[in-house]
Amino acid sequence: MPTQAAGQGHRSAYVSSAFADRLFLWLTAGAGWIVFAVLVGTAISMAYGGREAFQTFGWNFIVSSDWDAVNHKFGALIPIYGTLLSSAIALLIAVPISFGIATFLAEVAPPWLRGPIGMAIELLAGIPSIIYGMWGLFIFAPFMAATVEPWLTENLGPWPIIGPLFVGPPLGIGMLTAAIILGIMTIPFISSVMRDVFQAVPPSLRESAFAMGATPWEVVRKVTLPHTRSAVVGAIFLGLGRALGETMAVTFVLGNAHDFSASLLMPGNSIAATIANEFTEADSPIYLSSLIALGFLLFVVTFIVLAIAKIMLSRVERRMG
Amino acid sequence: MNRSLMRQRRIVNFIALCGATAATLFGLVWLVWILWTTLEKGATSLNLQLFTDMTPPPGTEGGLLNAFFGSAAMIGLAVLIGTPIGILAGTYLAEFGLRSKIGGVIRFVNDILLSAPSIIIGLFIYELVVRQVGHFSGYAGALALAVILLPVVVRTTDESLRLVPNELREAGLSLGLPKWKIISNVVYRAGATGVATGVLLAIARISGETAPLLFTALNNQFWSTDMNAPMANIPVVIFQYAMSPYDHWHALAWAGAFIVTVFVLLLSIVTRVLLKTRK
Amino acid sequence: MIKIARAIGSFAVAATMCVTTANAGEVTGAGATFVYPILSKWSGDYVAAGGDRVNYQSIGSGGGIAQIKAATVDFGASDKPLSSDELAKAGLAQFPVVVGGVVPVVNLTGLRSGQIRFTGPLLADIFLGKVTKWNDPAIVRVNPGVKLPGTAITVVHRSDGSGTTFNFAHYLSQVSAEWKSKVGAGTSLQWPTGVGGKGNEGVAAYVKQLPNSIGYVEYAYATQNKMTVGQVQNAAGKFIMPSGRTFQQAAAHANWATAKDFNLVMTNAPGADSYPITASTFVLMYKQPKDAARSAAALKFFRWALTKGQKQAINLQYVPLPPALVKRIDAYITQNIK
């Protein structure tokens, strides 16, 4: 009798824990679907708001570089170009720096220094984005105009292929300044995750590498990085997301110029900055609709960029086994 | 041959680590420069009045108390809404959705949401909440902030939990623990630092967001604890004051920025200390 | 982990618990940035004098129009007046509430405020990029005896949408046919030349920083930043130095009598001493408001501000409306808004 009761007790415990497991699965899956619903809702809302623009301009909206609010002619080409360019340069700055910081914290810094420096870098994320914008406008842009940009124009301007990228009047604001600030804002997102991830490598793995005579740099390259590859990529995506969608800081220093320019020293535009600069003063329905359509296009651009990135990554993964 | 190869490796190592140090200094230089600017420009307003008085009209002395409270309330509510959903969704991706198609889709969708400009999210919540209810509110502001916070937490939770070695999970299984107990007792505890970093990063980000609040919570000149009405908040106040012609408003804006940054720092320190002592 | 979550959670719940019943008297308004300082000043003083709380936030003229049309606020404020048709369609009434000026500012070594003069067409040509050097004969002709360098003019304009831009461009459209056809008037323009600064602050910062530059800002920014202001020739042919007095002259001489629903942009106003780039901001309210109590409270505030708020306006470099206009507004409100 007692054994049968004990057996029954075990079975009911098993059943209830299976139910709890099921419940947990539903709970977490439900949360996942909430994320899905939020994105789809936002995208639909933007598509709906932009329908007048899409109906009026059609496909031309994507390839047109017009932006005339007075005559109601709008095109998304320059903002799209600016978004991609500024984010690319920002990542070009942020990824190596973040990798360097994570390496420093993992291999160079003494243990007592790790915490404070890690927190200091994280603090870069805590500075309000509008402060980046204001600091950029009032402090950094004049610095760029007075010091960096003339130097660039003089020294890199004459070079054959990359020269045209660096010529222009020293205005201070412009694509380069905005991309640098964007890069700085992105650093803490990538570096904090990289740092956590580097420090989560099992000590046994690292120690056995050291035992075989590897230098710290080799340990990072051959042990830490491969082990954390997927998380590092995730951190970069986190940073990419930050760069693509950053509004306030870029708004202040990008210049909101609806013109093409090869030079990085000239003002440009990005989708988020255009919306932020012009939404509250848009004075016609087609104007408003065009701005919201721009927002929808950013989703599309992000979709394409991320899809390409993931396809490339899965190819690399497959090759590396 | 051995010795020169060894020397070469050591030189490469030295250069690489110097580069890493330089990168860290690079990051720190910006931090110090920006913090110094906020401190210098806000210095005249960094006094006790900042925490006791309300946002003043031009020409009058004042503080930022209503803005601090409003921001704290909205950030708190946003964290309350967004963090559980984010952690649970990240858990799903890491524990159940590792290879599944649905997991891939949700991960992809989450990354897109991550890149959404905050102003778009503000507009979405405006259409969803403010237009339907008929007025601006702190609730709408908190909701907008939660939507910005959500994908950051999802991603970092996903990554942190995936890094927890499978041996730990297998150990739990061998003990006969049901899956949900393995996750909540073993995996969460192992991945706690990473998850906390994600939440802190997300809080840091939403503390400084202006655009979404402009369309949802608006702002309030007066003291108000009513979340169902326009609510004062720091980022919008900073924006309005900094772009005004008045010096004392400028000083308040920079002082507010400095306090926000200090708040994020304190939050980070407290969280890390708590995590360490718990371990 | 759980402890932290609990701590954050309980704090958040505590914060949310601090919900009091909605303040029945708090009026909400949103719109043009231009009037934000004076409205917040009036609001503070009004509360001190025992009145209701009026919370106005600057989200831009376009935002103000959108929000009042969506009825999410009790009043909107716009730098651009709406036409009577648009007002009728939305069921709105509008009236001006304060006046200010947009002034040209320059950065030329050795020049002080008021020492450089522009005619309307000349300003248009500079901003069109047709006049490119400071010692261009067109500028020299208007400024005899002033030493002007042979350097290139750097034009600074707004990078964001703005009611200030609208008023400036509206003025240029009136004095220059070429400007009107090539660029036109709007809150956001396709500027033929120049660099864009964000907000009046941004333009002011740029002009101060870039030598040989010219820009346009609201008057308060020029005085607060101690910039070099230029005189502008008005419709009567006289060169006018921007000041509270000359703005007031423009407000007094502008043709309000024939403007239905006050639909009048005041630029290039007649009058011997009127400053030509003067503008007013308009308040928009529902004729049949959803919340009659709050709408009445808003009107009480505006009546107080229009009659008792002159000193604050002058202190902040705005111009209070002339008494004749105030009377007209009072009659309009009584007739139109229930």
Side-chain angles (χ1 to χ4, degrees):
Chain A
M1 262 320 181
T3 36
Q4 199 185 18
Q8 289 220 330
H10 275 164
R11 200 175 346 127
S12 64
Y14 176 70
V15 163
S16 77
S17 82
F19 176 69
D21 269 348
R22 208 47 115 50
L23 190 62
F24 192 69
L25 173 67
W26 280 7
L27 201 62
T28 55
W33 284 112
I34 290 182
V35 173
F36 187 81
V38 168
L39 173 71
V40 170
T42 316
I44 290 181
S45 170
M46 291 299 118
Y48 183 70
R51 72 193 183 288
E52 191 180 334
F54 289 126
Q55 279 164 359
T56 315
F57 302 114
W59 285 105
N60 210 26
F61 188 65
I62 303 181
V63 293
S64 159
S65 59
D66 276 337
W67 195 268
D68 189 346
V70 177
N71 293 314
H72 300 315
K73 281 227 235 350
F74 301 101
L77 190 60
I78 294 178
I80 294 179
Y81 170 72
T83 302
L84 291 173
L85 185 62
S86 58
S87 304
I89 300 176
L91 275 187
L92 220 60
I93 299 174
V95 172
I97 299 282
S98 301
F99 177 63
I101 294 176
T103 305
F104 175 83
L105 289 173
E107 300 297 339
V108 179
W112 56 267
L113 199 55
R114 283 195 194 141
I117 297 219
M119 268 196 283
I121 298 293
E122 261 175 36
L123 207 53
L124 279 173
I127 299 176
S129 59
I130 191 165
I131 294 299
Y132 275 106
M134 280 161 43
W135 171 82
L137 180 63
F138 297 123
I139 310 271
F140 187 57
F143 167 75
M144 288 289 283
T147 322
V148 179
E149 289 185 358
W151 185 91
L152 282 174
T153 313
E154 222 184 285
N155 292 303
L156 292 183
W159 285 20
I161 305 182
I162 66 168
L165 283 177
F166 294 105
V167 279
L171 296 170
I173 56 164
M175 183 60 72
L176 184 63
T177 310
I180 293 178
I181 295 183
L182 209 53
I184 301 170
M185 295 178 77
T186 312
I187 289 175
F189 283 83
I190 305 181
S191 72
S192 304
V193 177
M194 269 192 191
R195 172 208 60 206
D196 275 349
V197 147
F198 278 15
Q199 283 173 350
V201 174
S204 51
L205 277 178
R206 289 179 62 243
E207 280 158 18
S208 45
F210 279 122
M212 290 204 292
T215 64
W217 173 239
E218 283 165 355
V219 170
V220 169
R221 258 198 323 147
K222 303 237 158 91
V223 176
T224 313
L225 213 45
H227 182 89
T228 59
R229 196 173 51 225
S230 141
V232 163
V233 165
I236 297 179
F237 277 132
L238 202 62
L240 176 65
R242 189 82 174 90
L244 282 174
E246 175 49 40
T247 311
M248 263 323 184
V250 178
T251 299
F252 277 78
V253 292
L254 194 46
N256 207 31
H258 288 280
D259 298 308
F260 260 125
S261 177
S263 169
L264 292 177
L265 265 47
M266 295 296 284
N269 218 336
S270 82
I271 294 180
T274 307
I275 301 175
N277 266 324
E278 301 184 28
F279 191 81
T280 50
E281 288 290 354
D283 51 8
S284 57
I286 184 70
Y287 194 1
L288 273 170
S289 181
S290 299
L291 288 171
I292 300 181
L294 268 186
F296 179 73
L297 282 178
L298 184 61
F299 278 129
V300 174
V301 165
T302 312
F303 185 92
I304 296 177
V305 168
L306 286 178
I308 295 179
K310 299 221 178 198
I311 292 176
M312 281 182 1
L313 273 169
S314 69
R315 285 227 187 101
V316 168
E317 293 267 337
R318 233 177 288 148
R319 234 187 299 143
M320 298 189 77
Chain B
M1 186 118 81
N2 239 358
R3 221 183 290 156
S4 77
L5 180 62
M6 193 63 214
R7 211 175 44 185
Q8 189 191 14
R9 286 167 59 204
R10 283 221 193 92
I11 291 176
V12 166
N13 179 59
F14 180 71
I15 296 176
L17 294 184
C18 273
T21 314
T24 312
L25 283 173
F26 180 82
L28 290 175
V29 155
W30 300 109
L31 178 71
V32 170
W33 193 1
I34 297 177
L35 276 184
W36 174 251
T37 307
T38 50
L39 194 56
E40 181 192 26
K41 288 188 176 276
T44 55
S45 273
L46 277 175
N47 46 39
L48 212 54
Q49 217 183 1
L50 198 65
F51 298 98
T52 56
D53 291 358
M54 307 303 154
T55 49
T60 324
E61 290 300 314
L64 295 173
L65 183 59
N66 51 338
F68 284 136
F69 174 78
S71 271
M74 285 193 282
I75 292 175
L77 188 57
V79 169
L80 196 61
I81 299 175
T83 311
I85 300 179
I87 294 182
L88 284 175
T91 310
Y92 175 76
L93 291 176
E95 301 295 323
F96 304 105
L98 211 46
R99 300 263 173 253
S100 72
K101 268 226 164 101
I102 295 183
V105 166
I106 294 186
R107 214 172 259 130
F108 191 69
V109 156
N110 186 60
D111 282 340
I112 298 183
L113 193 58
L114 198 57
S115 319
S118 49
I119 192 169
I120 297 287
I121 298 189
L123 290 175
F124 173 56
I125 301 291
Y126 169 77
E127 290 292 337
L128 200 65
V129 179
V130 177
R131 281 299 292 267
Q132 305 309 320
V133 174
H135 56 84
F136 296 96
S137 66
Y139 289 127
L143 200 55
L145 292 181
V147 171
I148 299 178
L149 172 121
L150 182 63
V152 179
V153 175
V154 170
R155 230 225 187 273
T156 43
T157 305
D158 178 20
E159 297 295 346
S160 309
L161 294 186
R162 270 200 279 167
L163 268 177
V164 171
N166 262 330
E167 290 82 33
L168 285 177
R169 293 189 185 85
E170 287 160 10
L173 273 175
S174 69
L175 284 175
L177 290 175
K179 181 142 193 190
W180 70 274
K181 260 216 181 114
I182 298 178
I183 296 177
S184 61
N185 282 9
V186 176
V187 179
Y188 276 166
R189 218 167 266 181
T193 324
V195 173
T197 301
V199 176
L200 283 173
L201 277 178
I203 294 180
R205 170 141 186 217
I206 62 175
S207 312
E209 286 289 350
T210 314
L213 292 176
L214 206 54
F215 298 108
T216 49
L218 198 63
N219 190 17
N220 202 329
Q221 188 176 340
F222 305 100
W223 170 259
S224 166
T225 54
D226 184 6
M227 292 281 283
N228 201 22
M231 192 137 220
N233 56 84
I234 292 282
V236 173
V237 169
I238 292 178
F239 181 51
Q240 288 174 338
Y241 279 14
M243 300 308 279
S244 74
Y246 311 107
D247 280 331
H248 74 298
W249 267 7
H250 292 169
L252 273 175
W254 289 104
F258 184 72
I259 298 295
V260 167
T261 317
V262 167
F263 160 72
V264 169
L265 176 66
L266 286 177
L267 192 63
S268 178
I269 295 178
V270 163
T271 313
R272 302 251 178 243
V273 163
L274 278 178
L275 276 174
K276 274 215 187 92
T277 54
R278 200 178 43 77
K279 275 207 174 130
Chain C
M1 184 72 200
I2 316 278
K3 246 204 280 175
I4 300 160
R6 243 189 252 143
I8 297 178
S10 46
F11 167 73
V13 169
T16 331
M17 283 295 181
C18 293
V19 171
T20 55
T21 49
N23 211 336
E26 178 159 316
V27 175
T28 309
T33 315
F34 181 60
V35 281
Y36 174 61
I38 184 60
L39 275 179
S40 81
K41 181 82 179 122
W42 276 338
S43 177
D45 286 356
Y46 187 60
V47 163
D52 300 310
R53 296 181 1 163
V54 176
N55 175 29
Y56 177 79
Q57 296 299 327
S58 64
I59 63 173
S61 301
I65 298 175
Q67 296 315 318
I68 187 64
K69 277 190 178 164
T72 52
V73 292
D74 300 309
F75 69 91
S78 163
D79 289 330
K80 206 162 97 155
L82 297 182
S83 69
S84 291
D85 290 332
E86 214 181 329
L87 289 170
K89 214 166 64 173
L92 292 170
Q94 90 181 345
F95 55 91
V97 73
V98 81
V99 160
V102 180
V103 304
V105 284
V106 300
N107 181 340
L108 288 167
T109 39
L111 273 185
R112 287 200 317 273
S113 256
Q115 285 190 328
I116 188 166
R117 315 196 303 186
F118 300 98
T119 64
L122 176 60
L123 267 181
D125 284 342
I126 294 177
F127 278 88
L128 275 171
K130 283 173 65 181
V131 170
T132 53
K133 286 204 190 307
W134 280 111
N135 62 357
D136 189 294
I139 307 183
V140 173
R141 211 180 309 136
V142 186
N143 290 284
V146 180
K147 256 191 34 191
L148 292 163
T151 47
I153 305 178
T154 306
V155 167
V156 182
H157 54 75
R158 290 286 287 269
S159 63
D160 49 337
S162 147
T164 311
T165 299
F166 166 71
N167 283 308
F168 186 64
H170 190 270
Y171 168 69
L172 292 181
S173 296
Q174 291 195 296
V175 296
S176 164
E178 194 178 349
W179 179 272
K180 186 164 183 184
S181 64
K182 259 181 123 173
V183 186
T187 53
S188 209
L189 305 172
Q190 259 192 341
W191 295 94
T193 180
V195 63
K198 180 160 175 72
N200 279 298
E201 258 320 271
V203 172
Y206 267 117
V207 172
K208 273 169 65 174
Q209 181 200 321
L210 298 170
N212 308 309
S213 58
I214 181 172
Y216 62 93
V217 291
E218 285 168 25
Y219 184 58
Y221 288 86
T223 48
Q224 294 284 338
N225 284 301
K226 302 191 185 33
M227 304 183 74
T228 308
V229 177
Q231 299 193 31
V232 184
Q233 188 182 44
N234 66 7
K238 210 166 139 190
F239 286 97
I240 304 290
M241 182 65 187
S243 74
R245 194 184 61 87
T246 52
F247 300 158
Q248 202 161 37
Q249 285 289 310
H253 283 99
N255 207 346
W256 294 107
T258 56
K260 184 161 182 273
D261 292 309
F262 301 102
N263 183 5
L264 173 72
V265 182
M266 275 173 50
T267 55
N268 217 21
D273 284 322
S274 303
Y275 177 71
I277 322 182
T278 321
S280 50
T281 305
F282 301 86
V283 165
L284 299 159
M285 293 179 65
Y286 275 103
K287 289 188 173 164
Q288 323 258 27
K290 252 188 347 206
D291 188 329
R294 281 219 300 267
S295 185
L299 284 175
K300 212 164 132 206
F301 166 71
F302 284 119
R303 283 199 160 99
W304 176 88
L306 286 172
T307 49
K308 295 213 174 57
Q310 287 100 333
K311 198 162 58 123
Q312 294 95 321
I314 296 176
N315 279 343
L316 289 176
Q317 273 118 26
Y318 292 87
V319 168
L321 301 183
L325 185 54
V326 173
K327 261 201 222 110
R328 214 186 281 274
I329 295 173
D330 199 47
Y332 176 85
I333 294 177
T334 324
Q335 192 188 10
N336 281 291
I337 304 182
K338 300 296 160 237

